[in-house]
């Protein structure tokens, strides 16, 4: 199956060979017809499965950190890619511009974006009509009139190159031009490129993030008329002469039919491979010279072993020669928000990655052997020898040097593999005797990708510790992770191995021709049950299933190790000999000679060694390979090979591999008999051709077929290819959750983004606590006490952090004025000196950037995504929960207002050490002397007049920890999401459905009773409006034994009543356009004036319904000061709290059990 890129080359070659007529560009109509053919059917799956999900994932943090978004799309075609984003992201786009030179597309795009209310605009919150420029995007300024006039105001948060960059040369200059058009403040704008087929060569630009979609396919109807639209679109031109054009189209049809793939399920369609890539860039994309000025580069081209990696063009390859160079690479990556790859042995397909900087550790190539007592005083209970191998060493280097000293390390089976193998497993011929290579790791020197510090982990002899190296706080966790997943957590400089006595090996080979599948299954069963299971630990047996000379073969190599230095002149009989007779050959070799005895190196297909072939491998762990269900699939796999050179290699496990508990090291797959290496092979002169691509597809197909029978997958081969995701899910056994947490902790900025993929830490709803109060009440002190109490709450396993939001403005002030930032942050007297100037600076910044407080808030929140509870001090906002909750709709936002007497505050201002960022706020609500001066009601109030921290601890136990009770999660799980209701793109949360589930109503009313922060003994009535409120309020009123006050639509209650106009609810307004006026009413004098009322409803969305009910209660003589509100579920994105406050009810306490981020 040809790719579209190879098809394009073939079509152009055919045109050049058969016609001399001049070419002409496609007309708008021709281009439109070809494009429509491309994106129909399976072509649209690239958008559905790759482009739209990747774009949504890429843009979510950016969009969530902005109040509104300005967007530019380059070549969007007839529809905007942004129009397919989730609803809550699309609604952030307030300004839209596009360059679309195709007039037909531009018209369709404009019509789509300006859709009527009935059909709904894909970008419903645009503040002005979309600007569609019907001209190409060029390197000069061409926004506005299209005359080349520059407009300094045209800056964007996101710029998309939508459908490849064909015709844009050089491509890096177009991206650089787009980068110049990103907004400067706030930073974080992005340029994203989606490119179909081929790779992007961008000459030193560094990606912020990349992704690939290698499985994209375009399906085209095998119809002359369709092909006559499709082929010119792919070729990019038609012939000027009409007759010549007709003739060339006939030839082009033949080319399409010759290069396609056909499937039995769709015989009337032609299939072409259409891999796609995404590359995202920020304003840091051009900062590579900053790094190359500090650290050495690789001289000339870097040749790596892996065929996939050789096809990638990295932004640059750095070759550090000192540890400080590695640190500089990490600091640069952290500063600019980019990732790195690491080159050790060069066997990994992702050691080089397009437009990413690679760190080649080849200069760190020393092997040091230490016997007992030579560890520089770093003694332990372990005795014996140790080997310190630097990260640029190859397995062959280590084996040669250690063997000369009479010791060895149980490494892999190939001499050219490097540190990536040892850190992720390492399956060799000593594994059954001594374990995996990673099991022999007892220490390491690592450069942290979080701090750039040099870390000593585990046993590192003193003479091999770099100057300035430190022991990390989480040293046991990091050493555990090094033993099986070490490429994910830092850049390893050296590894300390436990050494063993060097053995001599006897190898024996048998090759058994197999007449048919039945014999193949029987032979595999014999090998498994009668040979492999009976071998002692110093022996291992490998098997090969391969096709040669028109026949299936089973090859077996047995390896026997011994440290007694026997000559093996007369080998002893083996179980294999008893079944298949004498071996074909046997050799006695040392550890170096062992490398050449592998059957696939010299015995199969004339030998695969010497660089004659290229290969692609994935490995699964199997048990009981002789069982019929496993053996049949193995045989079937070899029968479907696309190349005669493909084979299966079965390496024996068990023994010491299984002695290690699954959770004792990161390598958690321990229960297996054989590692099945699925190996696709092709001649190296066919790299990049369909022969190579079909071999890779075969490997993944076989792996997918065997996955359900496997006990795990080998992570050493796996990388960012999306086809690896299913294998990576089984790569670490039970250790994946722990590894996910460690990845998030040790590599929070994802510097090592292209290592073996680990799962993301699941993002639960965060609790964000805004700690407010006047100067001197002890806000920072309380926040720190609460953080400590949360972390020490062992039965909850919570993470918590306290941060000051005012630190951001202090940083900006220090940068602008030259003030000492450290003293501004930590020295109270120094901060007081700068307070007037700092306040003036902040006010000036807000005048220039009215959304600055929201930007600072979001910056703090997104800087703490790894914690369960975030406490924020230094707030300058009035009613911050109402003002900010819509910005973090998936989190619960609370305000805890700390108060203390004036005397206590004076004492604390005079003598309390540390910082209390609240006193930055004298220009806002903190200048008031008491809580009653506030025009809103904080979520919670804490009286901090007592000394010590016991009161603060009791407060958190009583009011904050209950938000993490499992009953709340149980309740949330009962709320069923309903997509596309009551109209498309709306995900409805069926809150009322809680009452329809067993125990749901009882659980909900129990939680409403428990979580009420008031005193039920002082409540005179529970009020509710139909219909959702009736269900929960009636059950709650019964539970707390107070009267129920019903609020209904007019005409449903007997007189006398009081009434107000009823607005439609949020869902009702979406479902119906009925504009008929309706009224709410309640019975007059049902509740005496001044009574305490708890108003209960199922949801708080826009707040319109609650405001109307509050107006009705006020009309009935129940003032806002006597009302509390409790709702089952809140949807902060609709800013209901803000509306309630704006309507004059800000002092009412609003509580919600659940918070949902959906619309």
């Amino acid at each position: 199956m040809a790719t579209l890129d190879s098809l394009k080359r073939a079509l152009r070659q055919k045109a050049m060979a058969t016609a001399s007529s001049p070419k002409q560009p496609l007309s708008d109509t021709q281009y439109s017809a070809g494009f429509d053919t491309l994106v129909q059917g399976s072509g649209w799956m690239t958008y559905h499965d790759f482009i739209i999900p990747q774009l949504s994932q890429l843009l979510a943090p950016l969009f969530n950190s902005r109040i509104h978004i300005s967007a530019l799309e380059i070549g969007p075609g007839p529809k905007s890619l942004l129009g397919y984003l989730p609803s809550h992201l699309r609604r952030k786009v307030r300004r839209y511009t596009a360059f679309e030179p195709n007039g037909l597309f531009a018209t369709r795009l404009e019509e789509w974006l300006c859709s009527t209310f009935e059909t709904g605009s894909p970008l419903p919150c645009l503040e002005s009509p979309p600007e569609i420029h019907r001209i190409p995007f060029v390197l000069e300024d061409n926004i506005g009139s299209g005359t080349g006039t520059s407009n300094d105001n045209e800056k964007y948060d996101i710029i998309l190159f939508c459908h490849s960059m064909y015709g844009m040369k050089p491509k890096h200059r177009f991206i650089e031009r787009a980068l110049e058009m990103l907004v400067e403040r706030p930073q974080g704008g992005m340029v994203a490129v989606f490119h179909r087929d081929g790779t992007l060569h961008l000459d030193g630009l560094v990606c912020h993030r990349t992704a690939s979609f290698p499985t994209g396919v375009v399906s085209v109807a095998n119809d002359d008329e369709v092909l006559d639209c499709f082929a010119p679109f792919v070729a990019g031109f038609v012939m000027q002469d009409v007759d010549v054009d007709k003739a060339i189209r006939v030839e082009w049809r033949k080319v399409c039919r010759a290069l396609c793939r056909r499937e039995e399920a769709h015989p009337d369609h032609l299939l072409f491979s259409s891999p796609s890539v995404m590359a995202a860039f920020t304003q840091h994309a051009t900062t590579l010279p900053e790094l190359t000025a500090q650290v050495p580069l690789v001289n000339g081209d870097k040749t790596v072993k892996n065929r996939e990696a050789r096809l990638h063009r990295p932004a640059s390859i750095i070759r550090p020669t000192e540890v400080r160079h590695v640190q500089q690479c990490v600091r640069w990556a952290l500063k600019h928000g980019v990732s790195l790859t690491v080159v050790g042995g060069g066997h990994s397909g992702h050691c080089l990655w397009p437009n990413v900087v690679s760190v080649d550790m080849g200069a760190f190539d020393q092997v040091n052997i230490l016997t007992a007592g030579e560890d520089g005083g770093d003694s332990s209970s372990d005795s014996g020898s140790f080997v310190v191998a630097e990260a640029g060493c190859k397995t062959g280097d280590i084996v040669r040097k250690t063997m000369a000293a009479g010791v060895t390390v149980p490494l892999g089976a190939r001499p050219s593999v490097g540190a990536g193998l040892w850190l992720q497993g390492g399956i060799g011929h000593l594994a059954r005797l001594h374990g995996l290579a990673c099991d022999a790791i007892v220490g390491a020197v690592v450069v942290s990708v979080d701090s750039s510090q040099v870390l000593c982990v585990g046993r590192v002899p003193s003479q091999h510790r770099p100057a300035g190296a430190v022991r990390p706080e989480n040293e046991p966790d990091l050493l555990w992770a090094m033993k099986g997943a070490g490429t994910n957590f830092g850049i390893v400089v050296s590894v300390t191995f436990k050494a063993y006595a060097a053995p001599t090996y006897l190898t024996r080979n048998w090759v058994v021709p197999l007449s048919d599948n039945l014999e193949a299954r029987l032979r595999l069963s014999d090998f498994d049950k009668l040979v492999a299971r009976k071998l002692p630990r110093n022996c291992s047996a490998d098997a090969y299933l391969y096709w040669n000379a028109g026949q299936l073969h089973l090859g077996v190599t047995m390896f026997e190790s011994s440290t007694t230095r026997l000559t093996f002149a007369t080998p002893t009989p083996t179980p294999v000999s008893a079944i298949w007779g004498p071996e074909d050959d046997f050799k006695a070799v040392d550890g170096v000679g062992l490398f050449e005895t592998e059957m696939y190196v010299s015995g199969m297909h004339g030998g695969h060694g010497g660089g004659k072939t290229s290969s692609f491998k994935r490995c699964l762990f199997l048990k009981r390979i002789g069982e019929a269900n496993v053996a049949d699939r193995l045989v079937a796999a070899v029968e479907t090979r696309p190349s005669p050179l493909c084979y299966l290699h079965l390496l024996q496990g068990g023994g010491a591999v299984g002695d290690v508990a699954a959770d004792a090291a990161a390598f958690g797959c321990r229960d297996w008999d054989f590692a099945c290496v699925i190996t696709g092979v092709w001649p190296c002169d066919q790299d990049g051709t369909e022969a190579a691509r079909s071999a890779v597809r075969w490997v993944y197909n076989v792996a997918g077929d065997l996955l359900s029978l496997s006990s795990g997958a080998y992570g050493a081969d796996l990388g960012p290819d999306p086809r690896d995701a299913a294998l990576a899910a089984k790569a670490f056994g039970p250790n994946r959750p722990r590894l996910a947490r460690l990845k998030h902790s040790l590599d929070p900025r994802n510097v090592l983004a292209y290592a073996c993929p680990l799962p993301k830490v699941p993002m639960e709803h965060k609790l964000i606590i805004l700690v407010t109060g006047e100067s001197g009440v002890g806000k920072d002190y309380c926040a720190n006490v609460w953080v400590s109490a949360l972390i020490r709450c062992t039965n909850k396993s919570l993470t918590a952090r306290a941060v000051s939001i005012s630190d951001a403005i202090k940083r900006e002030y220090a940068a602008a004025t030259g003030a000492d930032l450290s003293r501004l942050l930590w020295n109270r007297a120094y901060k007081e000196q700068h307070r007037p100037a700092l306040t003036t600076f902040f006010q000036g910044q807000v005048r220039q950037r009215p959304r600055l407080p929201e930007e600072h808030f979001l910056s703090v929140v997104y800087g703490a995504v790894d914690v369960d509870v975030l406490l924020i001090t230094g707030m300058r906002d009035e009613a911050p929960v109402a003002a900010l909750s819509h910005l973090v709709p998936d989190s619960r936002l609370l305000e805890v207002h700390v108060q203390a007497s004036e005397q206590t505050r004076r004492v604390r201002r005079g003598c309390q050490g540390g910082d209390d960022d609240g006193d930055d706020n004298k220009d806002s609500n903190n200048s008031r002397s008491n809580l009653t001066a506030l025009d809103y009601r904080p979520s919670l109030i804490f009286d901090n007049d007592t000394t010590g921290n016991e009161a603060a601890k009791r407060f958190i136990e009583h009011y904050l920890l209950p938000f993490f009770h499992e009953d709340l999660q149980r309740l949330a799980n009962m709320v069923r999401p309903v997509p596309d209701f009551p109209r498309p793109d709306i995900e409805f949360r069926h809150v009322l459905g809680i009452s329809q589930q067993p125990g749901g109503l009882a659980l909900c009313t129990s939680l409403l009773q428990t979580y009420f922060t008031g005193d039920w003994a002082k409540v005179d009535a529970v009020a509710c409006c139909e219909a959702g409120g009736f269900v929960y309020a009636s059950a709650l009123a019964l539970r707390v034994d107070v009267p129920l006050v019903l609020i209904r639509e007019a005409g449903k209650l007997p007189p006398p009543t009081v009434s107000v106009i009823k607005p439609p609810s949020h869902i009702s307004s979406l479902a119906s356009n009925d504009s008929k006026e309706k009224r709410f009413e309640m019975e007059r004098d049902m509740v005496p004036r001044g009574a305490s009322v708890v108003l209960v409803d199922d949801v708080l969305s826009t707040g319109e319904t609650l405001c109307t009910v509050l107006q009705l209660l006020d009309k009935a003589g129940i003032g806002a000061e006597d009302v509390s509100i409790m709702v089952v579920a809140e949807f902060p994105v609709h800013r209901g709290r803000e509306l309630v406050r704006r309507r004059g009810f800000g002092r009412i306490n609003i509580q919600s059990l659940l918070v949902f981020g959906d619309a």
Side-chain angles (χ1 to χ4, degrees), residues 567-885:
T567 61
F568 295 118
T570 307
T572 57
T574 68
V576 188
S577 304
I579 301 171
W580 295 332
E583 60 271 8
D584 296 334
D585 62 76
F586 69 90
K587 294 179 181 177
V589 295
D590 58 19
V592 175
L594 186 68
F595 294 131
E596 300 306 315
T597 63
E598 299 285 345
M599 186 176 291
Y600 70 88
V601 173
S602 57
M604 288 168 42
H605 308 131
H608 290 197
K612 295 178 292 186
T613 58
S614 295
S615 64
F616 179 87
K617 303 177 181 182
R618 291 295 181 262
C619 176
L620 295 173
F621 300 123
L622 302 175
K623 290 178 68 68
R624 295 178 289 277
I625 61 170
E627 298 292 336
N629 60 337
V630 180
D632 286 347
R633 293 197 193 187
L634 295 174
V635 173
V638 179
E639 287 185 328
T640 61
R641 72 209 178 285
S643 154
L645 303 177
C646 299
Y647 63 92
L648 301 181
H649 182 185
L650 297 157
L651 295 87
Q652 190 179 6
V657 175
D659 289 344
V660 180
D663 61 354
F667 192 99
C669 298
R670 298 286 176 172
D671 184 21
W672 49 276
D673 299 330
F674 287 91
C676 177
V677 184
I678 309 155
T679 311
V681 186
W682 60 93
C684 62
D685 58 3
Q686 294 182 18
D687 285 352
T689 68
E690 176 58 17
R693 288 190 292 272
S694 62
V696 171
R697 283 197 299 272
W698 175 76
V699 170
Y700 279 117
N701 289 339
V702 174
D705 191 46
L706 291 172
L707 193 60
S708 62
L709 302 177
S710 74
S711 59
Y714 192 24
D717 300 317
L718 307 179
D721 190 310
R723 293 172 290 187
D724 283 340
L727 302 177
K730 296 191 70 171
F732 300 101
N735 298 327
R736 283 171 55 79
R738 182 178 178 185
L739 287 168
R741 292 191 296 271
L742 286 175
K743 178 70 172 179
H744 197 69
S745 170
L746 298 171
D747 185 13
R749 261 78 65 86
N750 216 16
V751 172
L752 300 174
Y754 304 103
C756 178
L758 295 175
K760 297 288 189 296
V761 175
M763 284 300 296
E764 302 293 341
H765 286 191
K766 187 193 300 286
L767 176 61
I768 303 174
I769 302 170
L770 309 177
V771 185
T772 65
E774 297 175 329
S775 171
V777 297
K779 297 184 296 298
D780 287 332
Y781 175 80
C782 290
N784 289 326
V785 169
W786 292 332
V787 165
S788 179
L790 286 163
I791 292 174
R792 291 176 182 174
C793 184
T794 55
N795 62 320
K796 299 293 183 185
S797 299
L798 297 174
T799 57
R801 185 181 306 161
V803 297
S804 171
I805 199 169
S806 66
D807 288 355
I809 200 65
K810 290 173 187 173
R811 288 187 176 92
E812 294 182 15
Y813 171 80
T817 64
D820 187 326
L821 176 60
S822 177
R823 296 176 70 192
L824 274 177
L825 294 174
W826 303 111
N827 186 301
R828 176 178 293 277
Y830 185 84
K831 184 177 65 175
E832 289 296 330
Q833 293 173 12
H834 285 265
R835 179 174 305 287
L838 185 61
T839 299
T840 301
F841 178 81
F842 175 76
Q843 293 170 342
Q845 290 294 301
V846 171
R847 283 193 293 271
Q848 296 177 30
R849 299 155 59 192
R851 300 291 186 179
L852 184 63
E854 290 94 332
E855 293 172 14
H856 285 172
F857 172 71
L858 288 170
S859 177
V860 167
V861 171
Y862 285 101
V865 294
D866 56 328
V867 298
D868 301 304
V869 186
L870 174 64
L871 295 98
I872 304 176
T873 61
M875 298 298 302
R876 292 174 175 265
D877 297 81
E878 299 278 347
V881 174
L884 301 172
S885 59

Side-chain angles (χ1 to χ4, degrees), residues 49 228 340 510 608 644 713 728-729 854 874 970 996 1007 1156:
D49 294 343
D228 285 348
L340 302 170
W510 292 261
H608 290 197
E854 290 94 332
R970 283 178 55 210
Q996 298 174 287
L1007 292 172
F1156 291 108

Side-chain angles (χ1 to χ4, degrees), residues 230-499:
F230 173 71
F233 176 80
V234 174
F237 59 84
V238 294
M239 309 307 293
Q240 201 172 85
D241 184 277
V242 175
D243 292 333
V244 173
D245 187 63
K246 288 181 180 179
I248 202 63
R249 290 191 190 215
V250 172
E251 296 301 316
W252 278 353
R253 293 174 209 155
K254 296 177 182 177
V255 172
C256 290
R257 288 166 176 148
L259 296 181
C260 72
R261 188 182 85 206
R262 305 183 197 223
E263 294 181 345
E264 292 183 9
H266 304 284
D268 55 346
H269 278 72
L270 313 181
L271 302 181
F272 298 93
S273 174
S274 179
S276 293
V277 297
M278 181 202 76
F281 304 86
T282 67
Q283 289 154 322
H284 301 282
T286 58
T287 60
L288 182 58
E290 178 185 322
L291 177 63
T292 57
Q294 302 177 61
V295 294
L297 296 172
V298 165
N299 291 324
D301 292 332
K302 172 69 178 180
T303 301
V304 295
K305 176 72 174 177
N306 188 277
R307 186 270 324 175
E308 297 169 90
R310 290 199 299 268
L311 298 176
H312 300 152
R313 183 176 291 186
S316 183
I317 304 178
I318 305 298
R319 187 178 171 89
T321 56
E322 303 173 38
V323 175
R324 66 181 180 89
H325 293 155
V326 182
Q327 293 178 276
Q328 287 169 321
C329 291
V330 171
R331 291 189 194 109
W332 173 82
L334 292 171
K335 177 181 177 181
H336 298 295
V338 298
S339 298
L340 302 170
T341 66
V342 181
V343 183
H347 275 248
S348 163
H350 40 277
C351 63
L352 304 179
W353 201 251
N355 310 304
V356 174
V357 169
S358 294
V359 181
D360 176 14
M361 297 298 289
F364 294 83
D365 58 358
Q366 296 301 301
V367 179
N368 297 279
I369 302 154
L370 293 90
T371 57
E374 291 184 320
D375 56 1
D378 185 11
S379 60
S380 71
S381 59
D382 291 333
S383 59
S385 300
F386 296 90
V387 174
V388 177
E390 292 183 339
C393 296
K394 307 295 194 296
T395 291
D397 303 329
I398 299 173
V399 170
R400 287 185 185 90
K401 189 157 187 179
T402 56
M403 191 178 66
V407 296
T408 193
V409 175
L411 300 175
R414 297 306 306 138
S416 57
V417 298
L421 181 87
W422 327 327
L423 295 167
Q424 297 180 94
I427 305 171
H429 299 304
L430 292 176
R432 285 172 44 77
L433 185 61
H434 298 307
L436 304 170
C438 67
D439 295 332
I441 295 175
V442 295
V445 174
V446 185
V447 175
S448 165
V449 288
D450 182 25
S451 66
S452 79
Q453 283 185 298
V454 183
L455 307 177
C456 280
V457 183
R459 183 160 187 161
V460 180
S462 57
Q463 62 267 45
H464 297 289
R465 298 175 196 161
V470 299
R471 295 276 178 184
E473 291 182 3
N474 54 355
E475 183 177 5
D477 281 338
L478 185 52
L479 181 60
W480 178 88
M482 287 289 117
K483 297 163 74 72
T487 58
N488 253 297
F489 300 101
I491 299 181
V492 175
V493 176
S494 67
V495 171
T496 306
F497 292 105
K498 180 181 179 180

Side-chain angles (χ1 to χ4, degrees), residues 505-584:
Y505 300 87
L506 176 66
T507 69
R508 319 182 203 201
N509 290 302
W510 292 261
V511 176
V512 183
L514 304 172
S515 58
D516 54 30
N517 291 358
L518 177 60
E519 185 184 8
R521 185 203 301 172
L522 293 174
R523 295 291 192 181
L524 276 174
S525 180
D526 289 344
F527 170 71
D528 179 25
K529 298 174 183 178
L530 303 179
V531 177
R533 297 187 194 182
K534 296 186 176 182
L535 292 177
R537 290 194 171 198
N538 70 312
C539 295
S540 67
D542 287 5
Y544 297 85
L545 270 178
Y546 64 99
W547 205 272
N548 195 29
Q551 190 173 8
L552 185 64
H553 290 73
L554 174 64
V556 173
T557 302
M558 197 178 85
F559 303 88
E560 181 180 354
S561 64
S562 173
T563 56
T564 59
R565 307 218 174 254
L566 298 176
T567 61
F568 295 118
T570 307
T572 57
T574 68
V576 188
S577 304
I579 301 171
W580 295 332
E583 60 271 8
D584 296 334

